[in-house]
Amino acid sequence: MKIKYLGHASFHIEIDGIHLIVDPFISANELAKDVNIDSLKADYILITHGHQDHVLDVEAIAKNNPDTTLVSNYEIIEWFGQKGLSGHPLNHGGKVSFDFGTVKYVNAVHSSVLPDGAYGGNPGGFIVTAGSKCIYIAGDTAVTMDMKLIPEMGHQLDLAIFPVGDNFTMGYEDAALASDFVKCDKVMGCHYDTFPPIEIDKVKAKAYFASKGKELLLLDIGDSILI
């Protein structure tokens, strides 16, 4: 599984030649100006919630990849369905099998409204399992006790992707606590530095994780890791 950071909370995940895009907010992100959305491959687009900084480029990427399948909650899939895009709706606690593995939709504590003001359903996160690999994409959220259920349900995570920018989501201190809850000491941070309220001291954030015996990955936009 190859995971590339596209800025903010956006990722490209490649699993055995199948391409997933997560929460695409690229074209309006000055920090991601070197990412060309027209070149992105997408067999699936995973959407955690309806805020513009997570759905902005869904339509453009989907139109460049006409066979793509959107995966999100029922309300978001219905909203994009009215725009002619196809998707698979989930609700909290549900999972679905695709050709690359399984996706389970889990709780997040945040808000959700679509760019035109339409109801965006309840926000969530995703547990993506492909073969022996399992990652947790938390979406925009506070740290929650529900996270303790993830290992209780048998998910042994290779990576947790957490927002660390504070203000609109949990900060890196709470993300370190969340990593305890999900029993995963390898964390990739997202949702930081895009706007002034979520700028962080990256050196301090990494040092805080290290003091807890954990690793915080803060990738440069365009960089990738393999798990």
Side-chain angles (χ1 to χ4, degrees):
M1 186 183 296
K2 181 179 180 181
I3 303 171
K4 178 184 288 188
Y5 185 47
L6 302 178
H8 196 52
S10 306
F11 295 89
H12 173 265
I13 302 172
E14 184 175 354
I15 303 169
D16 295 331
I18 297 171
H19 301 269
L20 287 66
I21 299 291
V22 179
D23 283 356
F25 174 75
I26 300 164
S27 61
N29 181 4
E30 179 64 22
L31 300 178
K33 61 185 178 182
D34 293 330
V35 179
N36 179 8
I37 65 170
D38 292 333
S39 68
L40 294 175
K41 296 179 180 179
D43 298 297
Y44 300 89
I45 302 175
L46 276 56
I47 305 165
T48 61
H49 65 291
H51 286 161
Q52 186 179 44
D53 61 326
H54 294 256
V55 304
L56 178 67
D57 296 314
V58 168
E59 286 184 73
I61 294 171
K63 287 177 181 177
N64 288 332
N65 296 269
D67 294 327
T68 195
T69 298
L70 310 188
V71 182
S72 190
N73 66 34
Y74 179 85
E75 290 80 6
I76 289 174
I77 296 302
E78 284 290 297
W79 190 78
F80 278 111
Q82 294 172 13
K83 298 174 180 293
L85 304 182
S86 61
H88 184 95
L90 288 167
N91 217 320
H92 295 80
K95 74 174 184 295
V96 60
S97 294
F98 294 115
D99 49 0
F100 62 86
T102 64
V103 175
K104 186 179 181 76
Y105 196 57
V106 295
N107 289 345
V109 174
H110 195 58
S111 55
S112 180
V113 63
L114 288 152
D116 65 354
Y119 175 53
N122 291 320
F126 297 106
I127 299 170
V128 178
T129 304
S132 64
K133 301 299 182 180
C134 184
I135 66 172
Y136 170 37
I137 304 166
D140 285 9
T141 188
V143 61
T144 75
M145 296 297 285
D146 285 342
M147 292 174 177
K148 290 189 172 184
L149 293 173
I150 291 173
E152 289 293 325
M153 291 186 292
H155 299 292
Q156 296 181 343
L157 300 178
D158 296 284
L159 179 73
I161 299 177
F162 288 144
V164 296
D166 219 329
N167 198 82
F168 299 116
T169 67
M170 60 185 174
Y172 62 81
E173 301 95 337
D174 284 357
L177 177 60
S179 73
D180 286 337
F181 286 1
V182 300
K183 297 184 180 179
C184 181
D185 291 336
K186 187 170 187 175
V187 171
M188 183 181 292
C190 68
H191 209 279
Y192 66 92
D193 282 3
T194 316
F195 318 111
I198 60 172
E199 292 176 355
I200 66 170
D201 184 328
K202 293 188 282 292
V203 172
K204 188 175 179 180
K206 289 182 178 181
Y208 184 84
F209 264 70
S211 73
K212 305 291 184 181
K214 303 173 185 293
E215 181 182 14
L216 176 62
L217 302 172
L218 299 174
L219 299 186
D220 290 335
I221 294 172
D223 283 354
S224 305
I225 65 165
L226 292 172
I227 63 166

